[in-house]
Amino acid sequence: MPSLKQLRLRIRSVSSTKQITKAMKMVAAAKLRRSQERATAARPYSQRMGRMMRSVATIMDGQQGSPPLLSGYGDDVRRIELVVLTADRGLCGSFNSGVVRAVRNRVVELQREGFAVTLTCVGRKGQDVLKRQFGAQIRKTHTGIAHRLTFHTVEREIAQELVQAFEDRQFEVCYLVYNTFKSAMSQVLTWQQIMPLPNDAAQKNQDGPRGSGSAAASAAHETAAASEGKKKGGGRHHAVQSGGSGQGWSQGGGGEAALLQSMNRQAAAVEEEESGSTSYFFEPDEGELLNALLPRNVAVQLFQALVESDASEHGARMTAMDNAVRNASEMIRKLRIKFNRTRQAAITTELMEIIGGAESLKG
Amino acid sequence: MAVSFQLDIVTPERLAFAEEVLFVTVPGQEGVFGVLPRHAPLLSAVKPGVVQVGDDSDAQFFVVSGGYAEVLPTRVTLLVDDVIARKDINKEEMEMVRGKASKQLAGMPPEDAEYLFLKNRVQFADACLALCRQGEAR
């Protein structure tokens, strides 16, 4: 049985922890608002960039000598690069661990299938954990990017190096792994291929017959306007449920994956209508334009992923801290009951002693 | 039906302008071009310069830095690194930006990764200042 003094100390310590978590929650909320605005503001650019990319790509598709960034290195894929976006700081629930766990499972899986996997870590937390198991495979680490998250810094510090490495053929395919921001409460783990440019035309054709028929398609047209703000780079994201099933987050991810897919389908429907078969004039000519656009598109997609991930981080931290505050309150409540009970027990014992003493004197 | 088209000016950081307009001029890499509704589809690189929105009488002016323009019959999208409206241009600030960028640029080999970016900045600032002077002359 802890003494009264010990209990009082426990209560005080839990209270101050609660104060700290509460403060962290407020800070996260304030930061979240800003990051969320930025993520939302950045979406139009990356969406339109994606759309423009696809129109050019469709025209260039199948032509001789199209650059590897567009058409890849053929079927000869042996090396895969994963760009892992995590936070620099912890205390944000399963935000970092979710990404890391997914990456770890995937890397093991890919290696079993005979691929060589290299990693680029953006964010300190991911690197901290991954270097234990895959130290030798980490090609590059970028930290502190969140403090200077502008398009220019992202392009110069990360994207250019990645594109260079791709063109030097250090790897044949490159994926981004990050959390897409949905709301403060939920982040969707997303796998997105950025190099070479994912071939949507082929995917679209597969989607058609397999999808839920024309009824769904026409319904999609109606809701398309509403989802305009939500659609993410039109059909280029794949939320994948990976590796170990039965884990809380991956179950949630599955439902959200379906949602994302349906959103992507809607987006694809709109695009087909808008720019499906337009033939453009190019200025300068398409080859030159394409060569400038392709690396830029990588930077744009990366930037978008980073702002999404940044907003997700603050959302996750806010939620985690909110839970911590609630747990602390609950703990304080329990301790206080125990404290009161112990105090009352002490008083009762004392009273009994006094009464007993008085009785014996009377005797 | 009023003949107009949707003009969007977008930067990686924000959607700067989105309205129905009747006319716009764009500083394309191979010369300034004007766009009226129902223009043929065109993809063009954009260099730093002035974008004029609307006809002479009630025109709005923007300065854009480099980027790309997608022209469709009912929609024009400018994807640019940076954009500033004429009324938001601060002359002293722009001169400072220009001075700083051109100082950094001096003596830098053209193959430096920063070279193009800085050159772009200088041209952007130049376009802003030119637009200011033009405004004052009127």
Side-chain angles (χ1 to χ4, degrees), chain A residues 37-50:
Chain A
E37 266 166 30
R38 189 164 50 183
T40 326
R43 274 176 196 167
Y45 190 91
S46 64
Q47 280 163 11
R48 290 189 175 130
M49 192 67 171

Side-chain angles (χ1 to χ4, degrees), chain A residues 35-273:
Chain A
S35 319
Q36 193 181 348
E37 266 166 30
R38 189 164 50 183
T40 326
R43 274 176 196 167
Y45 190 91
S46 64
Q47 280 163 11
R48 290 189 175 130
M49 192 67 171
R51 194 167 63 195
M52 202 151 125
M53 248 1 275
R54 275 189 297 284
S55 2
V56 186
T58 336
I59 294 159
M60 288 294 285
D61 214 25
Q63 283 188 27
Q64 284 289 310
S66 55
L69 268 176
L70 176 64
S71 45
Y73 290 111
D75 296 331
D76 184 24
V77 174
R78 280 173 294 118
R79 285 159 296 187
I80 295 175
E81 167 90 356
L82 301 180
V83 182
V84 185
L85 308 190
T86 54
D88 278 335
R89 299 190 304 144
L91 291 181
C92 42
S94 62
F95 176 83
N96 291 320
S97 53
V99 175
V100 167
R101 186 166 32 195
V103 167
R104 199 188 291 146
N105 290 340
R106 191 95 182 104
V107 170
V108 171
E109 214 172 279
L110 286 170
Q111 281 175 339
R112 208 180 312 127
E113 286 165 26
F115 293 105
V117 184
T118 50
L119 301 167
T120 293
C121 297
V122 183
R124 200 165 50 79
K125 280 288 158 185
Q127 190 247 355
D128 281 351
V129 185
L130 288 171
K131 77 173 171 211
R132 260 179 256 151
Q133 201 176 345
F134 309 112
Q137 280 145 278
I138 296 182
R139 237 170 31 84
K140 262 237 143 68
T141 303
H142 304 272
T143 54
I145 195 80
H147 301 295
R148 46 208 157 87
L149 192 49
T150 65
F151 178 70
H152 181 62
T153 45
V154 170
E155 180 174 39
R156 188 184 49 190
E157 290 178 24
I158 309 176
Q160 281 176 355
E161 191 273 329
L162 273 175
V163 170
Q164 191 59 48
F166 179 81
E167 281 173 345
D168 294 345
R169 215 169 161 175
Q170 293 184 29
F171 46 84
E172 281 95 19
V173 182
C174 177
Y175 287 96
L176 286 180
V177 193
Y178 64 101
N179 285 296
T180 305
F181 182 78
K182 250 188 77 198
S183 71
M185 302 294 285
S186 86
Q187 298 83 34
V188 187
L189 188 69
T190 309
W191 293 77
Q192 182 191 352
Q193 183 184 332
I194 53 167
M195 289 186 288
L197 193 73
N199 192 346
D200 286 349
Q203 269 176 21
K204 235 184 251 171
N205 291 341
Q206 283 167 7
D207 256 16
R210 190 158 53 79
S212 15
S214 57
S218 64
H221 279 250
E222 280 165 41
T223 51
S227 77
E228 170 88 22
K230 279 191 266 169
K231 82 181 181 192
K232 300 181 168 69
R236 342 181 58 238
H237 291 239
H238 315 279
V240 188
Q241 194 175 352
S242 77
S245 56
Q247 293 157 338
W249 61 270
S250 73
Q251 281 168 356
E256 275 145 7
L259 189 76
L260 254 179
Q261 252 166 25
S262 80
M263 268 163 36
N264 286 341
R265 215 171 296 140
Q266 289 171 8
V270 181
E271 259 150 40
E272 232 155 348
E273 203 176 51

Side-chain angles (χ1 to χ4, degrees), chain B residues 29 49 71:
Chain B
Q29 194 174 334
V71 179

